Amino acid sequence: MSASPPSQEYPKQDTAPYRGISSLGAGLIFLSALLFGTTLLMLSYWHTRTIEEKTLIEAARNYSNIVSTMRSFYSKEILPRVVGSDITVTHDYHNQPHTIPIPATMTIDLAKQINRKLQDIQIRIVSSHPFPWRGSRSVSDFEQRAFGAFESSSIQHFSETHSDEGSETLFYAAPMRMDQECVSCHNSHPDSPKRDWQVGDIRGLQVVILPASRISSENYLGLSYLIAFIIVAFIAIFSVMLWLVTHNKIAFAQLGANTRKLKSTLRELNFFKEALDQHAIVSIADVDGNITYANNKFIDISGFQRDQLLGHNHRLVNSDHHPRSFFEQMWQSISTGRTWHGDIQNRTLDGSTYWVNSTIVPFLDEEGRPFQYISIRTDISEHKRLEAETKRNRRFLEALTNAISQGVL
């Protein structure tokens, strides 16, 4: 006999109209939205500046690569073609007939031509060990820092942005490293200021100087659009937040009522589960028949401990009384989503047997396939014992009456 759970009365929902929020609450919401908008604006400005800086660096890298490509092409394709001819390769090719410049001189003069054609851009070829005929070629503070950076690490470029009277300029430097041919030439040249060059040493720098504005006109226009969008988004967010705060009281009240109802439902389910556990042998298995739950009655009647049951198949309690076809028919039923009823003889841990009347109910997923099975059993061992005893008595009476020579009605 089981007692029904006490009836639950849920608190009534407060239906009093909500009259809005205080001025303090509205002010806090406004400040929160303003902080969000300001943060978004600053991030947008920072992102715009980052893109502009990357674009300038990429442009400087391209100019530097053009000069490097021209020098490499000149060294590998032009100079080898004049070897053995009456054309001389010299740094003083301007003043001598039938001469062409050495690669370094060609590169320096190419940079001068680019500077004259593109007045906003300046390209410099500098060296910390210039030949004597180069004249005075001073190295700037930026170029000295670039030399130091390349000597101490394997970076591919070095750049800085300098501000002067409201305008900004990008300084970009790429290293000119010595290869084997350069090392052989410079170490053997009679006018070389340094004769212990090694492969990979930095012979000089290619410096590109580009003017930069704080934000270009295109970026100003894009940023203006972004600011307008942020203002509109700010107004919309502030309005939505006010609306949400205005209506949150009803929402939270409904959520509280639903929570209380859910807790009450869970208590009722616990009552039902406790009543079921007190009456029946209950177990739950996955789709492979492995036990995932076993109540105390299952443990008491089987003699197994809970850790001996969980994770193991129901075959653990199989007494081998039933034929294989018996269980095949059972699995055929429950695996197709049908409930199965029947009597099963099981065995305990010590090898004795007991009978249960079992009902196996499959739990189905959204696609109608079983994902677990719950088995509810009742102990019918005494009933089976009396049934067997009755059958023995009936057979005894039948044998007795058949042995009497007189007719028996």
Side-chain angles (χ1 to χ4, degrees):
M1 181 176 181
S2 61
S4 60
S7 61
Q8 303 293 323
E9 294 184 1
Y10 305 108
K12 295 182 179 180
Q13 180 177 329
D14 185 6
T15 57
Y18 184 57
R19 302 184 183 280
I21 62 174
S22 64
S23 57
L24 177 60
L28 291 175
I29 294 174
F30 177 81
L31 290 177
S32 300
L34 181 62
L35 178 61
F36 172 79
T38 303
T39 302
L40 182 60
L41 182 62
M42 294 301 296
L43 288 175
S44 301
Y45 177 78
W46 173 80
H47 183 64
T48 302
R49 288 302 309 276
T50 301
I51 292 176
E52 184 181 50
E53 183 178 353
K54 289 182 178 179
T55 302
L56 286 171
I57 292 176
E58 186 64 27
R61 182 186 292 115
N62 289 336
Y63 283 117
S64 178
N65 288 340
I66 289 174
V67 175
S68 299
T69 302
M70 289 293 296
R71 183 176 64 249
S72 176
F73 176 79
Y74 182 79
S75 300
K76 296 180 179 180
E77 297 294 334
I78 303 300
L79 292 184
R81 296 179 183 273
V82 302
V83 174
S85 67
D86 58 351
I87 298 176
T88 303
V89 181
T90 177
H91 69 280
D92 191 24
Y93 72 100
H94 287 290
N95 301 318
Q96 300 181 32
H98 306 291
T99 61
I100 60 175
I102 61 177
T105 302
M106 186 278 299
T107 306
I108 293 173
D109 290 349
L110 175 63
K112 293 178 180 179
Q113 288 289 334
I114 294 175
N115 294 340
R116 283 193 290 268
K117 293 292 184 180
L118 304 175
Q119 297 181 359
D120 290 338
I121 300 173
Q122 183 180 1
I123 299 178
R124 285 170 48 84
I125 308 297
V126 298
S127 172
S128 57
H129 300 282
F131 279 95
W133 60 73
R134 297 295 183 197
S136 176
R137 298 181 62 81
S138 60
V139 178
S140 67
D141 293 340
F142 164 76
E143 291 160 353
Q144 290 178 359
R145 288 192 294 273
F147 272 118
F150 292 130
E151 292 288 352
S152 61
S153 65
S154 59
I155 58 176
Q156 300 300 315
H157 74 271
F158 179 80
S159 63
E160 292 179 357
T161 301
H162 296 174
S163 299
D164 185 17
E165 297 180 356
S167 62
E168 292 186 347
T169 303
L170 174 70
F171 289 78
Y172 175 93
M176 301 168 59
R177 297 186 182 275
M178 302 282 283
D179 57 20
Q180 185 60 52
E181 294 181 358
C182 295
V183 169
S184 301
C185 178
H186 283 74
N187 287 343
S188 61
H189 197 284
D191 295 329
S192 177
K194 177 179 169 64
R195 298 190 179 185
D196 57 350
W197 293 103
Q198 297 182 6
V199 175
D201 287 349
I202 297 176
R203 178 67 182 90
L205 298 178
Q206 288 183 176
V207 180
V208 180
I209 304 174
L210 293 177
S213 60
R214 287 191 177 275
I215 301 179
S216 65
S217 58
E218 294 83 0
N219 288 338
Y220 268 123
L221 181 60
L223 190 60
S224 299
Y225 287 143
L226 181 60
I227 292 174
F229 170 76
I230 291 175
I231 292 174
V232 173
F234 169 77
I235 296 173
I237 291 172
F238 181 66
S239 302
V240 170
M241 291 178 70
L242 280 177
W243 183 87
L244 289 174
V245 173
T246 302
H247 291 78
N248 70 345
K249 185 175 182 180
I250 296 176
F252 279 110
Q254 184 64 43
L255 179 62
N258 292 338
T259 302
R260 291 190 294 271
K261 185 181 293 185
L262 178 60
K263 288 182 178 179
S264 178
T265 302
L266 289 175
R267 284 197 298 271
E268 292 180 358
L269 289 176
N270 286 331
F271 291 148
F272 296 148
K273 176 181 176 297
E274 183 178 356
L276 182 62
D277 285 340
Q278 292 297 324
H279 173 74
I281 304 165
V282 181
S283 65
I284 299 176
D286 59 20
V287 291
D288 297 321
N290 297 321
I291 301 171
T292 59
Y293 170 79
N295 70 348
N296 291 334
K297 278 194 170 293
F298 191 2
I299 295 171
D300 293 340
I301 195 171
S302 67
F304 289 92
Q305 297 300 316
R306 183 169 278 102
D307 57 354
Q308 294 176 299
L309 294 173
L310 297 183
H312 295 82
N313 199 278
H314 270 97
R315 288 189 294 269
L316 190 67
V317 295
N318 187 0
S319 66
D320 296 328
H321 173 79
H322 305 280
R324 182 182 182 87
S325 59
F326 175 85
F327 293 103
E328 290 178 349
Q329 184 273 332
M330 179 188 71
W331 276 102
Q332 177 65 26
S333 296
I334 62 177
S335 61
T336 55
R338 293 176 294 171
T339 301
W340 182 87
H341 302 278
D343 296 343
I344 303 178
Q345 186 189 72
N346 289 333
R347 72 173 183 88
T348 64
L349 179 63
D350 61 9
S352 60
T353 60
Y354 62 95
W355 281 88
V356 291
N357 178 259
S358 179
T359 298
I360 304 177
V361 181
F363 284 11
L364 309 180
D365 58 18
E366 295 179 353
E367 298 180 358
R369 295 177 299 189
F371 66 91
Q372 69 178 11
Y373 305 101
I374 181 169
S375 179
I376 302 174
R377 311 177 188 88
T378 55
D379 183 7
I380 59 170
S381 300
E382 183 63 19
H383 171 75
K384 286 291 186 179
R385 186 188 66 78
L386 293 175
E387 187 180 73
E389 185 176 345
T390 302
K391 288 181 179 179
R392 287 196 300 271
N393 291 336
R394 182 180 296 113
R395 287 195 298 269
F396 173 75
L397 290 174
E398 289 177 354
L400 181 62
T401 54
N402 289 334
I404 296 176
S405 59
Q406 302 296 324
V408 177
L409 175 60

